[in-house]
Amino acid sequence: LCLFLFLFLLTQKKVVRTTTTQQLRMADTASASSGSGSNKQRALEYHIISGHKFFPNATIPQMTKPTQLFIKVKSAAINPVDYKLPTPLLHGKKVGLDFAGVVEKKGDGVEGFEVGDRVFGNVEGPFDASGSLSEYLVADVKNISKIPDFLSFNQAASIPVTYLTSYQAFRDHGFNQGDRMLIIGASGGCGTSGIQLAKAMGSGEIVGICSGKNKQAVLDLGCDKVVDYTCEDVVDVCGEGSFDFVYDTATNSGAGEDYVGKSRQVLRKKGDKRTGEGEGEEKKEGEEKEEGKGKEQEDAGGMYVAINGSAWSWFRCISGIQEGSREHLLMTNFSGNDLKTITDLMGEHNFRPVIDSIFPLTEDGVKRAFDRVKSRRAKGKVVIEVESEFDEEKKEEEEGEKKEEEEKKEEEKKE
């Protein structure tokens, strides 16, 4: 089966590269628009043997749909999924989901965005022709949002996957204002975004699980209490039935973590009174309509939401049979509208993405960046800086000097 898939993918790769004349023209136009002067770029691709391979002369993707934008990438962020996916199925595809950059060309069906806009978001997925760890990419308008002035390219690139995951976990899976929340894996990408968003969305007390060395950083983000997993047990520290919502970003993440059993113990049981704050607050106008819904959620007990899980958990998620239960596995949906909501919350509550480290888009830089993510010691996001603001300033200076030289030569000719 593996041999068949490998041969099939090689065939598909040849078919994709045998593009139509129209697509080649679109690629040339995009390349001319970008000022790159060629149809080649630096990019990281999946490789069946080495996992990833850096190409200094990779092909530049072209727009094929009217709802797409051609974007010059300024920064990209790495997620664990970028190295955990099976590379035999992705051989030759470009790596990376999260990006921030500048629109250089837009399709006829794109509204609300213009050439020159600062944008951020996701490519369609790992099977897409584009990847964020490259100089240029093509993205669909539904997956992107404009970067607000208070965010840099590096900060914006750190948002999409982790913040979308946390935001959708809370919005779509039973979180209520005032809930007492436990965040497992609080110092990682999804953990840090979870703390910030939970605070902004009105959570009650937030307890984080992480190592003692990351305790202060997690407290600074908004956690009220930290459980050090290296020497403490969350059930002993917090007690059974003590949380309304458990957000698990650590179970099944690669080092044998399993917090499912502990989570069941600390979750509020069916029919128990909510442990969170705000129970006695006066209802705002219109909230009476939600009273029945709130009682149903109270009767159901606390909610456990995880970003990873066992094969059975994935089956329950994909088949839909987890609906109505107290344990959910989350599948993140890329959404430009949700990204806009998230940055609005950042502006309103004055918080920013946590960046662990920044590396350049070079063969060595990419290797070090992935080593950092795989080390599981990263506190926040690992970012690849494709083109820094310093590079832009230097380029503008060089272009200015070149223009001055050309004008000087023209004047000498006239003389």
Side-chain angles (χ1 to χ4, degrees):
L1 178 60
C2 289
L3 179 61
F4 170 80
L5 287 171
F6 175 64
L7 293 173
F8 173 75
L9 285 167
L10 285 181
T11 306
Q12 290 298 103
K13 190 175 179 182
K14 289 178 181 177
V15 170
V16 169
R17 287 184 174 176
T18 311
T19 55
T20 63
T21 304
Q22 184 180 3
Q23 287 175 321
L24 287 171
R25 284 175 181 168
M26 289 179 75
D28 291 339
T29 304
S31 186
S33 168
S34 70
S36 63
S38 72
N39 63 342
K40 301 296 182 183
Q41 64 166 341
R42 290 173 294 147
L44 189 71
E45 295 184 2
Y46 287 104
H47 193 269
I48 193 169
I49 297 173
S50 59
H52 298 139
K53 189 171 182 180
F54 183 81
F55 289 90
N57 294 303
T59 56
I60 294 178
Q62 58 264 356
M63 293 161 49
T64 57
K65 298 177 183 177
T67 57
Q68 292 179 331
L69 300 99
F70 181 76
I71 296 167
K72 184 171 186 177
V73 182
K74 300 292 186 179
S75 300
I78 298 176
N79 296 287
V81 70
D82 295 330
Y83 69 84
K84 289 183 177 181
L85 290 172
T87 52
L89 300 178
L90 298 168
H91 181 74
K93 298 291 184 182
K94 292 180 174 60
V95 181
L97 300 172
D98 296 348
F99 70 86
V102 176
V103 176
E104 293 215 337
K105 188 176 176 64
K106 68 171 192 170
D108 295 335
V110 174
E111 295 181 358
F113 295 89
E114 300 298 334
V115 171
D117 282 348
R118 299 166 73 241
V119 297
F120 73 114
N122 305 99
V123 298
E124 281 293 322
F127 290 95
D128 192 37
S130 290
S132 63
L133 299 183
S134 57
E135 293 182 86
Y136 299 94
L137 59 78
V138 170
D140 196 279
V141 66
K142 71 178 184 296
N143 296 333
I144 69 168
S145 181
K146 291 181 182 178
I147 302 174
D149 292 338
F150 59 80
L151 289 176
S152 67
F153 286 116
N154 287 340
Q155 289 174 321
S158 304
I159 294 172
V161 166
T162 53
Y163 282 81
L164 283 172
T165 299
S166 297
Y167 175 69
Q168 291 171 9
F170 303 154
R171 183 195 63 188
D172 301 335
H173 296 273
F175 168 78
N176 293 280
Q177 286 191 355
D179 276 356
R180 188 172 191 236
M181 179 177 289
L182 175 66
I183 296 179
I184 303 170
S187 62
C190 285
T192 54
S193 65
I195 295 168
Q196 293 172 323
L197 287 171
K199 208 78 175 176
M201 294 169 74
S203 173
E205 184 182 28
I206 302 173
V207 178
I209 296 180
C210 65
S211 65
K213 64 182 180 181
N214 295 328
K215 177 178 179 178
Q216 192 55 51
V218 167
L219 290 171
D220 291 342
L221 285 174
C223 258
D224 300 290
K225 184 188 294 185
V226 170
V227 176
D228 182 352
Y229 70 83
T230 64
C231 60
E232 294 178 313
D233 184 281
V234 65
V235 180
D236 295 336
V237 174
C238 301
E240 295 190 8
S242 54
F243 292 99
D244 301 298
F245 198 99
V246 174
Y247 180 42
D248 185 355
T249 72
T251 293
N252 279 75
S253 60
E257 304 90 339
D258 187 354
Y259 284 93
V260 178
K262 297 288 184 183
S263 297
R264 288 171 179 159
Q265 286 181 268
V266 298
L267 267 180
R268 177 172 53 81
K269 302 297 186 290
K270 182 177 180 179
D272 287 352
K273 185 180 177 182
R274 294 167 61 80
T275 63
E277 299 169 356
E279 290 291 301
E281 290 182 3
E282 217 173 283
K283 288 187 179 71
K284 296 178 182 177
E285 188 179 349
E287 285 186 357
E288 288 83 358
K289 294 179 182 178
E290 297 293 322
E291 189 174 353
K293 182 179 176 182
K295 284 181 180 177
E296 288 174 5
Q297 289 173 343
E298 180 177 327
D299 290 342
M303 282 296 303
Y304 168 81
V305 181
I307 65 172
N308 287 299
S310 63
W312 171 242
S313 298
W314 281 107
F315 174 76
R316 291 177 69 250
C317 175
I318 295 168
S319 65
I321 62 175
Q322 71 176 7
E323 299 304 319
S325 71
R326 297 169 57 218
E327 297 179 11
H328 284 191
L329 186 66
L330 172 70
M331 291 187 71
T332 306
N333 296 313
F334 297 155
S335 167
N337 291 333
D338 284 356
L339 289 174
K340 173 67 166 61
T341 301
I342 290 165
T343 53
D344 286 346
L345 286 170
M346 286 184 174
E348 182 182 351
H349 296 274
N350 195 31
F351 63 92
R352 302 290 182 267
V354 178
I355 296 177
D356 173 83
S357 48
I358 301 171
F359 298 89
L361 183 63
T362 61
E363 185 170 5
D364 178 65
V366 168
K367 181 183 181 302
R368 287 188 290 126
F370 272 93
D371 286 345
R372 180 63 181 168
V373 175
K374 292 175 182 179
S375 74
R376 302 170 58 78
R377 292 192 296 271
K379 305 175 191 68
K381 295 296 292 184
V382 174
V383 172
I384 297 290
E385 194 170 59
V386 179
E387 184 177 80
S388 68
E389 292 178 9
F390 172 78
D391 291 334
E392 284 185 332
E393 290 172 3
K394 188 177 179 183
K395 193 176 290 184
E396 286 175 4
E397 287 177 9
E398 289 175 351
E399 287 175 355
E401 290 173 0
K402 188 177 180 182
K403 192 174 181 181
E404 285 178 6
E405 286 178 9
E406 289 175 353
E407 288 174 353
K408 192 175 180 181
K409 286 179 182 178
E410 286 293 324
E411 288 176 4
E412 288 175 355
K413 282 181 182 179
K414 287 178 183 178
E415 290 175 0

